Each structure stands twice: as structure tokens, then as C-alpha cells.
């Protein structure tokens, strides 16, 4: 056991940049008010570019970052990638991109092919709508992950060696495990720790069962990201069980840290989240910590720095 805070290089595997004044993110327009898991999100309806991100992460030894698609105008998925590519060229951040693709649309194959042509794109995300509660899931309501048209689009990812970033509530995770089983050649990256939601014992039991099902498939990794809660501050005590469960099931070699900034800035500061995750992980081996904060994301997302692949850095077993 290490019992020492990780102090090596960090890859933030999940964050956003945006300029709401451009009007390209409908949910960030001044008049928009969507149901949001953290409640009122007015505070993040402002410009957030790499300078703001670096200010929030001050003192964290960031080696690279990964941009996550942020629900740009769905009629123009390639526009978002071109925009973020331009941001990366200006600021050398982000260093890899998860792009938007609507897998059940007629143009899915064409969009995926074009997304794959961007130098930074490594994965795509399409949140698979479906069961909206544990009860609906138990009653047999399925998500798009079981839709044949959606799956045809999903099958295109392997052609371009693209990954799939999966964000869905915990009660749909067993269906995600079926997707991993049926498409073993495509890596699934589970966003936001499988979205456990609240910390009620019954919720955590159901969430853990879903995560256990996913962990049986070698083509699944998990982001320790987006685990804030509405109406609760981000604390080590409230998040220890979630992080420990992920590390128990997946190990550092199949887990990676992500801040989900600026969104999780609604819950806590960047340093509160980063330092809290470091504290929880401090009982793990130095190798597991290095994997969690750097190596897993480097291997999976293959970030570029100055146009060059980020090199593996040494760690201690």
C-alpha cells in the first residue's frame, strides 16, 4: 500500500471548452433551462476556454487533457470538432477529442468517417436514451443500446478504431455490459463513474451490480469523473465508496481521472475534486495511482502535444 498522495503528471480525461455567445450549444443559450442533474446551471453559461481551465486547475501538473462533446447543435456534429480542433491549435489544449455522432441517424456512417479524419478524435459519444428510472428498467424498457439501427451505427466505430464514451444512468449499465459483450472489438469508456446518482444504500447496491457486470468485459474502462451531487458538497466521505468500488473492480489500469469542468465547478473547485480523488486513491499502489491519473488515459486517448503523441512516463510499482 502506498498511503502517499500521487504527485506525478496528470491527464484530465474529461472536460469541456465553449463560447456560449456563439449560440452553437443550445442548452447554454441565455434563455435555455433544461432539467439538469446539478440543478441551476446558469453559472456555467459563460466563456470557458483553456486559459479559464488552466486557472481552475492551477497547481495540478497537467500533461494533457481530453475534450468531451458538449451537446453542440445536433444538426452540425462536425462543426464542434472543427471548432475544438481550432481551440487546440491555439492553446495546445485539449490534446484529444471525444466527438459527437448520432448513431441512429441515416448519415451515421458518413459522420463517423469524417469525425475519424480529425487528428485529435479518439472516441464518440451518443447518450443512449431509454429507461428513465430503475423501475422502467426492471419493467423491461430498453435504451438505444438495444436498437438495431443504433447498433448498425455503433458497428461503424470499429472500422476506424474509434472508442465509444458511454454516459447512461446506473440502471442501464447491465445493458451496457451486453453492448460490450456483443462488440468486443470496440472499447467502451464509461463516463462519470456509471452515474451513481445519490448515495442511498439501495442506489449504491444497484449501481455496484451494474459496474460489476461491466467489469467482466476487458473492453470496458471507467472515468472517475462527474460524481458530484445536487445539494451536497463534494467531499471525500461522500465519494470514497464510489471511487474505491471502481478501483476494486477495474484497478487503476482500467480507470482514469476526469474533472468534468466547468460543469462540476457547480459542485466544488477543481482542487477539491482532484485532491479529494488523490486522497481516496492514496491507499492504492503507486502503479495504480499512476495509471488512474495518467497512464490509462494516455493509452486509451493517445493525446497529442505539439502534434506529437504523449510519451509514456515512468512509474513505480
Amino acid at each position: 500500500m502506498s498511503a502517499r498522495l500521487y504527485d506525478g503528471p496528470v491527464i484530465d480525461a474529461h472536460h469541456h471548452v465553449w463560447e456560449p455567445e456563439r449560440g452553437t450549444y443550445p442548452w447554454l443559450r441565455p434563455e435555455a433551462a433544461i432539467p439538469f442533474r446539478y440543478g441551476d446551471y446558469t453559472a456555467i453559461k459563460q466563456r470557458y476556454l483553456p486559459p479559464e481551465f488552466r486557472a481552475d486547475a492551477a497547481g495540478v501538473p497537467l500533461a494533457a487533457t481530453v475534450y468531451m462533446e458538449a451537446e453542440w447543435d445536433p444538426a452540425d456534429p462536425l462543426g464542434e470538432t472543427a471548432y475544438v480542433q481550432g481551440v487546440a491549435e491555439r492553446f495546445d489544449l485539449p490534446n484529444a477529442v471525444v466527438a459527437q455522432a448520432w448513431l441512429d441517424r441515416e448519415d451515421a456512417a458518413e459522420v463517423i468517417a469524417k469525425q475519424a479524419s480529425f487528428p485529435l478524435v479518439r472516441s464518440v459519444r451518443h447518450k443512449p436514451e431509454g429507461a428513465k428510472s430503475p423501475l422502467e428498467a426492471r419493467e423491461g424498457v430498453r435504451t438505444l443500446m438495444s436498437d438495431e439501427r443504433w447498433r448498425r451505427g455503433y458497428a461503424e466505430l470499429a472500422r476506424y478504431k474509434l472508442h465509444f464514451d458511454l454516459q447512461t444512468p446506473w440502471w442501464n449499465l447491465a445493458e451496457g455490459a451486453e453492448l460490450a459483450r456483443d462488440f468486443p472489438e470496440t472499447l467502451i469508456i464509461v463516463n462519470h463513474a456509471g452515474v451513481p446518482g445519490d448515495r442511498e444504500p439501495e442506489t449504491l447496491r444497484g449501481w455496484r451490480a451494474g459496474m460489476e457486470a461491466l467489469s467482466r468485459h476487458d473492453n470496458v474502462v471507467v472515468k472517475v469523473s462527474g460524481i458530484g451531487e445536487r445539494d451536497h458538497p463534494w467531499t471525500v466521505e461522500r465519494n470514497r465508496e464510489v471511487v474505491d468500488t471502481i478501483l476494486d473492480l477495474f484497478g487503476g489500469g482500467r480507470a482514469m481521472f476526469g474533472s468534468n469542468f466547468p460543469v462540476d465547478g457547480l459542485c466544488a473547485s477543481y482542487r477539491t475534486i482532484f485532491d479529494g480523488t488523490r486522497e481516496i486513491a492514496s491507499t492504492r499502489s503507486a502503479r495504480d495511482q499512476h495509471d488512474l491519473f495518467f497512464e490509462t488515459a494516455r493509452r486509451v486517448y493517445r493525446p497529442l502535444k505539439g502534434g506529437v503523441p504523449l510519451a509514456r512516463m515512468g512509474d513505480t510499482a
Side-chain angles (χ1 to χ4, degrees), residues 86-108:
V87 171
E89 290 168 2
R90 288 174 59 198
F91 298 103
D92 199 22
L93 184 163
N95 311 100
V97 168
V98 179
Q100 181 189 109
W102 303 93
L103 301 181
D104 57 345
R105 290 188 179 176
E106 290 292 341
D107 65 351

Side-chain angles (χ1 to χ4, degrees), residues 190-255:
V190 179
N191 290 187
H192 300 342
V195 194
D198 61 51
R199 303 298 186 263
E200 294 299 318
E202 182 179 2
T203 298
L204 290 176
R205 281 194 297 271
W207 166 78
R208 182 181 180 112
M211 296 300 283
E212 286 177 341
L214 285 165
S215 72
R216 299 185 193 111
H217 300 278
D218 293 338
N219 59 323
V220 177
V221 298
V222 181
K223 289 182 187 177
V224 177
S225 65
I227 54 175
E229 299 173 87
R230 186 173 182 171
D231 301 326
H232 288 285
W234 201 111
T235 66
V236 167
E237 291 71 26
R238 291 197 67 84
N239 289 303
R240 185 183 299 278
E241 183 174 354
V242 171
V243 178
D244 276 341
T245 298
I246 290 170
L247 293 175
D248 288 345
L249 291 173
F250 293 87
R254 294 170 63 196

Side-chain angles (χ1 to χ4, degrees), residues 6-12 57-64 271 274 278 293-294:
Y6 177 75
D7 60 0
V10 175
I11 296 175
D12 186 331
V60 177
L62 288 174
R271 289 307 302 258
F274 174 69
R278 283 201 304 163
F293 289 105
F294 179 81

Side-chain angles (χ1 to χ4, degrees), residues 103-143:
L103 301 181
D104 57 345
R105 290 188 179 176
E106 290 292 341
D107 65 351
E110 177 185 356
V111 168
I112 289 167
K114 289 180 178 178
Q115 294 287 27
S117 71
F118 284 92
L120 294 180
V121 170
R122 304 290 181 264
S123 184
V124 303
R125 182 170 74 167
H126 177 185
K127 298 173 185 175
E129 296 178 4
K132 293 180 171 55
S133 69
L135 177 60
E136 284 191 0
R138 287 195 296 269
E139 290 176 342
V141 175
R142 306 286 282 182
T143 75

Side-chain angles (χ1 to χ4, degrees), residues 47-77:
R47 180 178 300 196
Y48 196 79
L49 290 173
E52 288 77 28
F53 176 81
R54 287 181 168 124
D56 281 337
V60 177
L62 288 174
T65 75
V66 180
Y67 173 83
M68 171 56 65
E69 67 87 18
E71 300 188 10
W72 178 281
D73 179 357
D76 182 29

